Amino acid sequence: MDLLALDVRLDGFDDPVGVFVRDERGAVAFGYNRRYLANPDAAPLSLSLPLVGGPYPDVAARAFFDNLLQERDGALTEVMEREGLARDDIAGLLFHLGKDCAGALSVLPMGSPPAKVPGDYERDYVPIPPDRLAAIVEALHNRTRLPTGMEDPSPLAGVQSKIALTVLPDGRFAEPNPGSGAPTTHILKVPDQGHKRDARYEAEAMDLSRKLGMETAEATALPVGGIEALLVTRFDRGRDRLGRVVRLHQEDFAQALGLPASMKYERRGREGRRFDVSGIRKILEQTVDPARAKEAFIQATIFDLLVGNADGHAKNFALLYEPGGRVRLAPRYDILPTRLDDSLTDELPYSIGEAKTLDEVTPSALDAFFQALGIENAAGRRRLAQRYARDIAFALASHLKALEKNEKRFADLIASNIRALLGALEIEIPDAARERDAFISKAGGWHMS
């Protein structure tokens, strides 16, 4: 295997910020450039790659850069077959796919010009005609080849079909001009034929998250050619002083913990190297406001329990970086009530104490969860557990009647989850949840406390 060195670029900086190297044995390493380390606006690429001289050896570098590749197999498989590359040849794959990494980073052959630059609405985008948009959505829905000239949506992480596009100031959809390097502003997620209501479910869940005061990405269910898709505003975009669209550096919790995408669930790791609450605590304590970040994570955890989202894994939580390396928790995104799908597991992405499902959550499990987040006072932990569970449950219960108009099963699921959690904690159950039907699964089962 030949030596391979690649420039690592971060949108907003003129020069490469570092070098990613593969040696003759296939091991990889990463090191920051000295000029970048001396820049007062420099931010680390990851909490797992602090701003030091380095270099970072294979384990740390491999985990972070592997996360820049897509999770779905389409473009990866094509490049692997065409170039004769193995899946673990991260550098070789990024040589061909690195210009389209998700976010503000790009990994390019050494000496290449920047592949990502700010986007000018007037110059850098071409509107997408309605019939072309409908063809794109239909192809994503049916899992068939995209229309001619449309790139595979491989830069986006996750296993759902989705494509990145831009919404112009006049509301029209557009795509960046080929070769412009301009950012997109939105993600269009398209469910497959077996999950036609997922866009509606996720839109409702994210709307509830916002209504309860949690910082959440904007998302709207959008019918396109008879197929309902989900339009999500990207939280990792901003505007510069010239009004151009710019990318904001972000990383997900898998990257921050130095875990590959394959270890995004706690159950796939081992103690000391997994997505668990003790690891999450380490991330939250490095943000600019650890107390607020912990509060937001606690709220997200209880909210997900109650709306039936068992897929809040390490790649569905993220951090946003500010100039100078300040880090804050990103808005929530990818909140789907997975318990509505009987084919999916109800096992939680990370344990709450010893509890691995909602039905196993007890006062002692919640107490252990709060303790793992660093809350030492036992009486304080009990008060917090009772307060957060009650406040979020009662707030959700107040929206059940409105939710029932379009999504009765979802409303029934939330009510059943409220009864289960509050019952276990011996908290009064709100009338709106107590009086609802039990949640009926399509498999014929039912869930209630």
Side-chain angles (χ1 to χ4, degrees):
M1 186 174 288
D2 295 331
L3 178 71
L4 177 62
L6 302 171
D7 283 337
V8 179
R9 286 186 171 272
L10 181 59
D11 200 16
F13 291 89
D14 293 334
D15 298 318
V17 302
V19 179
F20 184 57
V21 178
R22 181 194 69 199
D23 67 19
E24 293 87 347
R25 297 168 299 166
V28 298
F30 169 75
Y32 289 105
N33 288 338
R34 293 178 183 174
R35 182 180 298 179
Y36 182 68
L37 289 173
N39 190 323
D41 288 332
L45 299 191
S46 171
L47 294 183
S48 65
L49 301 172
L51 286 175
V52 296
Y56 288 96
D58 189 275
V59 173
R62 181 176 296 275
F64 178 80
F65 285 92
D66 179 70
N67 272 287
L68 297 180
L69 294 166
Q70 66 187 63
E71 291 179 81
R72 295 182 304 106
D73 291 333
L76 274 178
T77 301
E78 181 181 335
V79 170
M80 288 164 60
E81 292 176 349
R82 186 183 73 228
E83 304 296 333
L85 299 173
R87 177 59 184 84
D88 64 353
D89 186 1
I90 306 302
L93 292 170
L94 286 171
F95 179 88
H96 298 280
L97 296 170
K99 72 180 181 64
D100 288 327
C101 293
L105 284 173
S106 51
V107 184
L108 306 167
M110 290 201 78
S112 299
K116 296 181 176 181
V117 297
D120 185 300
Y121 280 123
E122 298 289 335
R123 184 184 65 239
D124 293 326
Y125 301 95
V126 56
I128 303 174
D131 58 342
R132 178 171 169 79
L133 182 65
I136 292 169
V137 169
E138 183 177 6
L140 293 173
H141 179 64
N142 294 322
R143 304 299 192 263
T144 56
R145 184 178 295 276
L146 288 164
T148 302
M150 172 59 67
E151 294 184 0
D152 185 274
S154 56
L156 298 174
V159 297
Q160 291 177 299
S161 278
K162 60 187 79 169
I163 200 155
L165 44 72
T166 294
V167 177
L168 299 175
D170 62 8
R172 288 180 299 165
F173 293 104
E175 52 193 314
N177 280 314
S180 69
T184 54
T185 61
H186 289 69
I187 295 168
L188 192 66
K189 300 172 68 173
V190 184
D192 62 27
Q193 296 185 43
H195 301 85
K196 293 181 179 180
R197 297 195 65 78
D198 275 7
R200 174 62 57 183
Y201 291 149
E202 187 167 357
E204 294 283 7
M206 293 179 70
D207 183 55
L208 286 170
S209 178
R210 284 191 299 275
K211 285 177 176 175
L212 268 61
M214 303 177 200
E215 190 179 8
T216 309
E218 293 285 338
T220 306
L222 179 73
V224 181
I227 299 168
E228 196 159 46
L230 185 75
L231 183 68
V232 185
T233 303
R234 301 190 68 143
F235 65 80
D236 58 344
R237 296 294 185 262
R239 302 282 288 276
D240 67 11
R241 49 190 171 80
L242 300 177
R244 299 176 301 178
V245 182
V246 294
R247 298 172 176 88
L248 307 177
H249 180 40
Q250 56 87 23
E251 70 167 334
D252 60 48
F253 277 27
Q255 292 170 301
L257 289 169
L259 300 175
S262 61
M263 293 172 63
K264 62 185 180 181
Y265 299 100
E266 179 178 335
R267 54 186 174 270
R268 296 182 182 170
R270 56 174 172 76
E271 189 171 358
R273 183 167 166 75
R274 65 187 180 190
F275 176 58
D276 59 13
V277 178
S278 63
I280 292 164
R281 173 187 174 182
K282 293 175 185 176
I283 293 174
L284 301 178
E285 289 182 345
Q286 294 182 71
T287 62
V288 293
D289 189 347
R292 177 68 192 96
K294 289 181 181 181
E295 180 182 39
F297 187 80
I298 291 167
Q299 291 173 323
T301 297
I302 294 175
F303 178 85
D304 283 354
L305 283 174
L306 295 178
V307 301
N309 174 29
D311 204 39
H313 54 67
K315 295 191 74 65
N316 282 344
F317 286 94
L319 300 169
L320 274 170
Y321 283 79
E322 300 173 350
R326 289 164 54 92
V327 186
R328 62 184 177 89
L329 198 60
R332 294 292 319 270
Y333 57 97
D334 283 0
I335 309 174
L336 180 66
T338 55
R339 293 282 304 278
L340 291 172
D341 186 339
D342 299 314
S343 69
L344 300 178
T345 181
D346 63 350
E347 185 173 352
L348 302 175
Y350 49 90
S351 299
I352 297 176
E354 295 297 318
K356 298 187 183 303
T357 66
L358 168 63
D359 294 337
E360 297 175 1
V361 175
T362 62
S364 62
L366 266 183
D367 185 73
F369 169 72
F370 280 89
Q371 188 170 21
L373 281 175
I375 301 169
E376 300 297 339
N377 182 275
R381 293 197 300 269
R382 288 193 295 271
R383 286 195 302 270
L384 287 174
Q386 292 271 320
R387 189 187 90 202
Y388 282 115
R390 186 188 188 283
D391 288 355
I392 294 173
F394 271 72
L396 282 171
S398 71
H399 294 286
L400 291 177
K401 187 174 182 180
L403 181 62
E404 180 182 16
K405 293 177 182 178
N406 296 315
E407 303 298 342
K408 182 179 185 304
R409 286 189 76 245
F410 190 15
D412 288 345
L413 172 63
I414 293 173
S416 292
N417 291 343
I418 289 173
R419 293 195 294 268
L421 182 62
L422 297 194
L425 300 179
E426 299 183 349
I427 298 173
E428 175 192 4
I429 297 169
D431 291 341
R434 184 188 302 113
E435 298 169 358
R436 289 201 62 83
D437 293 338
F439 170 63
I440 307 297
S441 75
K442 292 181 180 178
W446 56 282
H447 307 267
M448 66 178 296
S449 59

PDB file of all heavy atoms in Angstrom, residues 102-124:
ATOM      1  N   ALA A 102     -19.937  15.560   4.881  1.00  0.00           N
ATOM      2  CA  ALA A 102     -20.985  16.343   5.526  1.00  0.00           C
ATOM      3  C   ALA A 102     -20.354  17.453   6.367  1.00  0.00           C
ATOM      4  O   ALA A 102     -19.285  17.289   6.946  1.00  0.00           O
ATOM      5  CB  ALA A 102     -21.836  15.436   6.411  1.00  0.00           C
ATOM      6  N   GLY A 103     -21.029  18.603   6.428  1.00  0.00           N
ATOM      7  CA  GLY A 103     -20.564  19.693   7.271  1.00  0.00           C
ATOM      8  C   GLY A 103     -19.548  20.586   6.604  1.00  0.00           C
ATOM      9  O   GLY A 103     -19.450  20.672   5.374  1.00  0.00           O
ATOM     10  N   ALA A 104     -18.740  21.257   7.434  1.00  0.00           N
ATOM     11  CA  ALA A 104     -17.815  22.282   6.944  1.00  0.00           C
ATOM     12  C   ALA A 104     -16.455  21.730   6.572  1.00  0.00           C
ATOM     13  O   ALA A 104     -15.600  22.465   6.083  1.00  0.00           O
ATOM     14  CB  ALA A 104     -17.649  23.368   8.018  1.00  0.00           C
ATOM     15  N   LEU A 105     -16.237  20.437   6.780  1.00  0.00           N
ATOM     16  CA  LEU A 105     -14.940  19.836   6.492  1.00  0.00           C
ATOM     17  C   LEU A 105     -14.886  19.251   5.087  1.00  0.00           C
ATOM     18  O   LEU A 105     -15.895  18.791   4.554  1.00  0.00           O
ATOM     19  CB  LEU A 105     -14.647  18.716   7.488  1.00  0.00           C
ATOM     20  CG  LEU A 105     -14.216  19.133   8.892  1.00  0.00           C
ATOM     21  CD1 LEU A 105     -14.141  17.913   9.792  1.00  0.00           C
ATOM     22  CD2 LEU A 105     -12.869  19.832   8.849  1.00  0.00           C
ATOM     23  N   SER A 106     -13.710  19.228   4.523  1.00  0.00           N
ATOM     24  CA  SER A 106     -13.456  18.495   3.285  1.00  0.00           C
ATOM     25  C   SER A 106     -12.061  17.910   3.380  1.00  0.00           C
ATOM     26  O   SER A 106     -11.173  18.458   4.037  1.00  0.00           O
ATOM     27  CB  SER A 106     -13.600  19.384   2.045  1.00  0.00           C
ATOM     28  OG  SER A 106     -12.853  20.575   2.170  1.00  0.00           O
ATOM     29  N   VAL A 107     -11.875  16.770   2.747  1.00  0.00           N
ATOM     30  CA  VAL A 107     -10.591  16.075   2.743  1.00  0.00           C
ATOM     31  C   VAL A 107     -10.210  15.876   1.283  1.00  0.00           C
ATOM     32  O   VAL A 107     -10.913  15.215   0.526  1.00  0.00           O
ATOM     33  CB  VAL A 107     -10.685  14.724   3.474  1.00  0.00           C
ATOM     34  CG1 VAL A 107      -9.309  14.059   3.540  1.00  0.00           C
ATOM     35  CG2 VAL A 107     -11.240  14.909   4.887  1.00  0.00           C
ATOM     36  N   LEU A 108      -9.081  16.472   0.884  1.00  0.00           N
ATOM     37  CA  LEU A 108      -8.768  16.606  -0.539  1.00  0.00           C
ATOM     38  C   LEU A 108      -7.328  16.176  -0.838  1.00  0.00           C
ATOM     39  O   LEU A 108      -6.472  16.212   0.048  1.00  0.00           O
ATOM     40  CB  LEU A 108      -8.932  18.071  -0.969  1.00  0.00           C
ATOM     41  CG  LEU A 108     -10.280  18.734  -0.667  1.00  0.00           C
ATOM     42  CD1 LEU A 108     -10.174  20.232  -0.850  1.00  0.00           C
ATOM     43  CD2 LEU A 108     -11.346  18.154  -1.570  1.00  0.00           C
ATOM     44  N   PRO A 109      -7.056  15.779  -2.077  1.00  0.00           N
ATOM     45  CA  PRO A 109      -5.669  15.545  -2.467  1.00  0.00           C
ATOM     46  C   PRO A 109      -4.812  16.773  -2.165  1.00  0.00           C
ATOM     47  O   PRO A 109      -5.274  17.920  -2.314  1.00  0.00           O
ATOM     48  CB  PRO A 109      -5.770  15.297  -3.981  1.00  0.00           C
ATOM     49  CG  PRO A 109      -7.162  14.770  -4.172  1.00  0.00           C
ATOM     50  CD  PRO A 109      -8.004  15.506  -3.180  1.00  0.00           C
ATOM     51  N   MET A 110      -3.607  16.558  -1.734  1.00  0.00           N
ATOM     52  CA  MET A 110      -2.759  17.675  -1.311  1.00  0.00           C
ATOM     53  C   MET A 110      -2.592  18.692  -2.435  1.00  0.00           C
ATOM     54  O   MET A 110      -2.401  18.325  -3.599  1.00  0.00           O
ATOM     55  CB  MET A 110      -1.391  17.170  -0.859  1.00  0.00           C
ATOM     56  CG  MET A 110      -1.430  16.402   0.456  1.00  0.00           C
ATOM     57  SD  MET A 110       0.181  16.328   1.281  1.00  0.00           S
ATOM     58  CE  MET A 110       0.274  17.969   1.997  1.00  0.00           C
ATOM     59  N   GLY A 111      -2.693  19.977  -2.068  1.00  0.00           N
ATOM     60  CA  GLY A 111      -2.552  21.057  -3.027  1.00  0.00           C
ATOM     61  C   GLY A 111      -3.819  21.439  -3.743  1.00  0.00           C
ATOM     62  O   GLY A 111      -3.822  22.392  -4.535  1.00  0.00           O
ATOM     63  N   SER A 112      -4.923  20.730  -3.480  1.00  0.00           N
ATOM     64  CA  SER A 112      -6.189  21.055  -4.151  1.00  0.00           C
ATOM     65  C   SER A 112      -6.745  22.377  -3.618  1.00  0.00           C
ATOM     66  O   SER A 112      -6.577  22.702  -2.446  1.00  0.00           O
ATOM     67  CB  SER A 112      -7.221  19.951  -3.906  1.00  0.00           C
ATOM     68  OG  SER A 112      -6.792  18.721  -4.422  1.00  0.00           O
ATOM     69  N   PRO A 113      -7.429  23.137  -4.474  1.00  0.00           N
ATOM     70  CA  PRO A 113      -8.078  24.353  -3.998  1.00  0.00           C
ATOM     71  C   PRO A 113      -9.272  23.997  -3.118  1.00  0.00           C
ATOM     72  O   PRO A 113      -9.737  22.850  -3.120  1.00  0.00           O
ATOM     73  CB  PRO A 113      -8.527  25.038  -5.292  1.00  0.00           C
ATOM     74  CG  PRO A 113      -8.703  23.914  -6.255  1.00  0.00           C
ATOM     75  CD  PRO A 113      -7.642  22.908  -5.910  1.00  0.00           C
ATOM     76  N   PRO A 114      -9.807  24.959  -2.354  1.00  0.00           N
ATOM     77  CA  PRO A 114     -10.968  24.679  -1.502  1.00  0.00           C
ATOM     78  C   PRO A 114     -12.143  24.138  -2.311  1.00  0.00           C
ATOM     79  O   PRO A 114     -12.427  24.615  -3.416  1.00  0.00           O
ATOM     80  CB  PRO A 114     -11.296  26.046  -0.897  1.00  0.00           C
ATOM     81  CG  PRO A 114     -10.026  26.821  -0.963  1.00  0.00           C
ATOM     82  CD  PRO A 114      -9.339  26.351  -2.206  1.00  0.00           C
ATOM     83  N   ALA A 115     -12.816  23.125  -1.771  1.00  0.00           N
ATOM     84  CA  ALA A 115     -13.989  22.560  -2.437  1.00  0.00           C
ATOM     85  C   ALA A 115     -15.279  23.137  -1.873  1.00  0.00           C
ATOM     86  O   ALA A 115     -16.335  22.976  -2.472  1.00  0.00           O
ATOM     87  CB  ALA A 115     -13.994  21.038  -2.273  1.00  0.00           C
ATOM     88  N   LYS A 116     -15.168  23.817  -0.724  1.00  0.00           N
ATOM     89  CA  LYS A 116     -16.346  24.393  -0.072  1.00  0.00           C
ATOM     90  C   LYS A 116     -16.108  25.868   0.178  1.00  0.00           C
ATOM     91  O   LYS A 116     -15.112  26.252   0.798  1.00  0.00           O
ATOM     92  CB  LYS A 116     -16.630  23.668   1.248  1.00  0.00           C
ATOM     93  CG  LYS A 116     -17.002  22.203   1.059  1.00  0.00           C
ATOM     94  CD  LYS A 116     -17.308  21.529   2.379  1.00  0.00           C
ATOM     95  CE  LYS A 116     -17.766  20.091   2.147  1.00  0.00           C
ATOM     96  NZ  LYS A 116     -18.106  19.396   3.410  1.00  0.00           N
ATOM     97  N   VAL A 117     -17.022  26.691  -0.312  1.00  0.00           N
ATOM     98  CA  VAL A 117     -16.911  28.140  -0.169  1.00  0.00           C
ATOM     99  C   VAL A 117     -18.296  28.691   0.164  1.00  0.00           C
ATOM    100  O   VAL A 117     -19.312  28.013  -0.025  1.00  0.00           O
ATOM    101  CB  VAL A 117     -16.374  28.794  -1.462  1.00  0.00           C
ATOM    102  CG1 VAL A 117     -14.965  28.317  -1.769  1.00  0.00           C
ATOM    103  CG2 VAL A 117     -17.303  28.494  -2.638  1.00  0.00           C
ATOM    104  N   PRO A 118     -18.391  29.949   0.650  1.00  0.00           N
ATOM    105  CA  PRO A 118     -19.705  30.542   0.901  1.00  0.00           C
ATOM    106  C   PRO A 118     -20.554  30.598  -0.365  1.00  0.00           C
ATOM    107  O   PRO A 118     -20.033  30.640  -1.486  1.00  0.00           O
ATOM    108  CB  PRO A 118     -19.355  31.948   1.414  1.00  0.00           C
ATOM    109  CG  PRO A 118     -17.985  31.808   1.990  1.00  0.00           C
ATOM    110  CD  PRO A 118     -17.295  30.808   1.104  1.00  0.00           C
ATOM    111  N   GLY A 119     -21.862  30.604  -0.184  1.00  0.00           N
ATOM    112  CA  GLY A 119     -22.784  30.610  -1.312  1.00  0.00           C
ATOM    113  C   GLY A 119     -23.534  31.920  -1.461  1.00  0.00           C
ATOM    114  O   GLY A 119     -24.106  32.432  -0.493  1.00  0.00           O
ATOM    115  N   ASP A 120     -23.516  32.471  -2.677  1.00  0.00           N
ATOM    116  CA  ASP A 120     -24.250  33.690  -3.008  1.00  0.00           C
ATOM    117  C   ASP A 120     -25.582  33.298  -3.638  1.00  0.00           C
ATOM    118  O   ASP A 120     -25.606  32.619  -4.664  1.00  0.00           O
ATOM    119  CB  ASP A 120     -23.427  34.541  -3.968  1.00  0.00           C
ATOM    120  CG  ASP A 120     -24.063  35.888  -4.270  1.00  0.00           C
ATOM    121  OD1 ASP A 120     -25.198  35.901  -4.795  1.00  0.00           O
ATOM    122  OD2 ASP A 120     -23.425  36.909  -3.985  1.00  0.00           O
ATOM    123  N   TYR A 121     -26.698  33.708  -3.022  1.00  0.00           N
ATOM    124  CA  TYR A 121     -28.017  33.307  -3.525  1.00  0.00           C
ATOM    125  C   TYR A 121     -28.213  33.697  -4.991  1.00  0.00           C
ATOM    126  O   TYR A 121     -28.863  32.980  -5.753  1.00  0.00           O
ATOM    127  CB  TYR A 121     -29.120  33.964  -2.685  1.00  0.00           C
ATOM    128  CG  TYR A 121     -29.405  33.277  -1.374  1.00  0.00           C
ATOM    129  CD1 TYR A 121     -29.314  33.967  -0.172  1.00  0.00           C
ATOM    130  CD2 TYR A 121     -29.792  31.935  -1.330  1.00  0.00           C
ATOM    131  CE1 TYR A 121     -29.598  33.347   1.032  1.00  0.00           C
ATOM    132  CE2 TYR A 121     -30.072  31.314  -0.127  1.00  0.00           C
ATOM    133  CZ  TYR A 121     -29.972  32.024   1.056  1.00  0.00           C
ATOM    134  OH  TYR A 121     -30.254  31.408   2.246  1.00  0.00           O
ATOM    135  N   GLU A 122     -27.650  34.836  -5.392  1.00  0.00           N
ATOM    136  CA  GLU A 122     -27.875  35.336  -6.745  1.00  0.00           C
ATOM    137  C   GLU A 122     -27.053  34.580  -7.796  1.00  0.00           C
ATOM    138  O   GLU A 122     -27.478  34.455  -8.945  1.00  0.00           O
ATOM    139  CB  GLU A 122     -27.510  36.830  -6.816  1.00  0.00           C
ATOM    140  CG  GLU A 122     -28.342  37.727  -5.913  1.00  0.00           C
ATOM    141  CD  GLU A 122     -29.767  37.870  -6.421  1.00  0.00           C
ATOM    142  OE1 GLU A 122     -29.982  37.701  -7.637  1.00  0.00           O
ATOM    143  OE2 GLU A 122     -30.661  38.138  -5.594  1.00  0.00           O
ATOM    144  N   ARG A 123     -25.901  34.071  -7.389  1.00  0.00           N
ATOM    145  CA  ARG A 123     -24.951  33.563  -8.381  1.00  0.00           C
ATOM    146  C   ARG A 123     -24.739  32.052  -8.330  1.00  0.00           C
ATOM    147  O   ARG A 123     -24.459  31.422  -9.356  1.00  0.00           O
ATOM    148  CB  ARG A 123     -23.605  34.272  -8.162  1.00  0.00           C
ATOM    149  CG  ARG A 123     -22.531  33.925  -9.164  1.00  0.00           C
ATOM    150  CD  ARG A 123     -21.200  34.585  -8.811  1.00  0.00           C
ATOM    151  NE  ARG A 123     -20.651  34.078  -7.555  1.00  0.00           N
ATOM    152  CZ  ARG A 123     -20.378  34.834  -6.502  1.00  0.00           C
ATOM    153  NH1 ARG A 123     -20.608  36.128  -6.527  1.00  0.00           N
ATOM    154  NH2 ARG A 123     -19.872  34.293  -5.400  1.00  0.00           N
ATOM    155  N   ASP A 124     -24.858  31.455  -7.149  1.00  0.00           N
ATOM    156  CA  ASP A 124     -24.347  30.100  -6.953  1.00  0.00           C
ATOM    157  C   ASP A 124     -25.398  28.997  -6.949  1.00  0.00           C
ATOM    158  O   ASP A 124     -25.057  27.832  -6.712  1.00  0.00           O
ATOM    159  CB  ASP A 124     -23.561  30.034  -5.639  1.00  0.00           C
ATOM    160  CG  ASP A 124     -22.290  30.863  -5.687  1.00  0.00           C
ATOM    161  OD1 ASP A 124     -21.688  30.944  -6.779  1.00  0.00           O
ATOM    162  OD2 ASP A 124     -21.903  31.438  -4.655  1.00  0.00           O
TER     163      ASP A 124
END
